[in-house]
Amino acid sequence: MTSKKDTDIRDINYEDLGSAVLLDRYRVPETYADGVSEILIGYPMTKITFHTVIESSDKEMRRACAMLTMDAPSTLDLAFDILEAFRRVDEVLLKDVGPRITEKLKMLLERIPKEEMQSGIQERSKKPSKAKSKEKK
């Protein structure tokens, strides 16, 4: 068995993201979720529990399938990233899905607060990234 020291950098899958390098992107397990069951916002950590629906009768039965734990600022950053990604591709999404899903997506996309979100994204872009702030130290 090889130790971390013995691993050749060429054996690690990585992607240059500009201000950072993402290692092992394709070695992370992918988990499907039907939705979010619980969000516990706290400082310093926030926990988000995802679920899958295992039975739907009188009462929907859900099974927890993953839990994401992040620091509070990174969780808020993730929320802005998700909203911004949907804001940029909403027209493309609506063309590529069926009519039932299109109506649901339209309703959800209309709930995104465009002005508030845009000001939050602009504020975030003014702050130096974690990678840049570490370089200055």
Side-chain angles (χ1 to χ4, degrees):
M1 180 178 282
T2 60
S3 69
K4 288 184 181 181
K5 288 181 183 177
D6 296 334
T7 303
D8 188 331
I9 191 69
R10 293 170 293 187
D11 295 335
I12 298 174
N13 181 285
Y14 72 94
E15 182 176 348
D16 187 347
L17 302 175
S19 63
V21 174
L22 178 63
L23 299 175
D24 292 336
R25 178 182 190 174
Y26 300 106
R27 293 183 185 178
V28 176
E30 182 175 336
T31 303
Y32 172 81
D34 288 313
V36 174
S37 295
E38 185 176 54
I39 301 175
L40 301 171
I41 297 179
Y43 190 81
M45 293 293 156
T46 295
K47 294 182 180 283
I48 303 171
T49 304
F50 297 88
H51 69 263
T52 56
V53 176
I54 55 173
E55 184 181 320
S56 198
S57 55
D58 292 343
K59 198 171 203 177
E60 188 173 88
M61 297 294 292
R62 298 174 176 180
R63 174 175 286 133
C65 61
M67 182 178 290
L68 175 65
T69 303
M70 297 176 73
D71 64 86
S74 294
T75 305
L76 189 54
D77 202 35
L78 171 65
F80 276 114
D81 287 346
I82 291 169
L83 289 173
E84 175 61 13
F86 271 101
R87 188 183 69 77
R88 283 193 311 256
V89 298
D90 60 0
E91 292 302 317
V92 175
L93 276 176
L94 295 176
K95 282 194 256 181
D96 293 338
V97 296
R100 186 177 63 93
I101 296 173
T102 299
E103 288 307 310
K104 186 173 183 177
L105 273 172
K106 277 184 182 177
M107 182 185 71
L108 292 169
L109 289 168
E110 286 171 5
R111 290 177 49 194
I112 297 175
K114 305 269 191 238
E115 293 80 26
E116 292 87 347
M117 188 182 76
Q118 193 59 39
S119 65
I121 290 166
Q122 288 169 351
E123 284 300 313
R124 276 189 21 213
S125 66
K126 291 178 187 174
K127 295 178 184 175
S129 72
K130 291 178 184 178
K132 289 179 183 174
S133 61
K134 286 180 183 178
E135 291 172 7
K136 291 179 183 176
K137 290 181 181 179

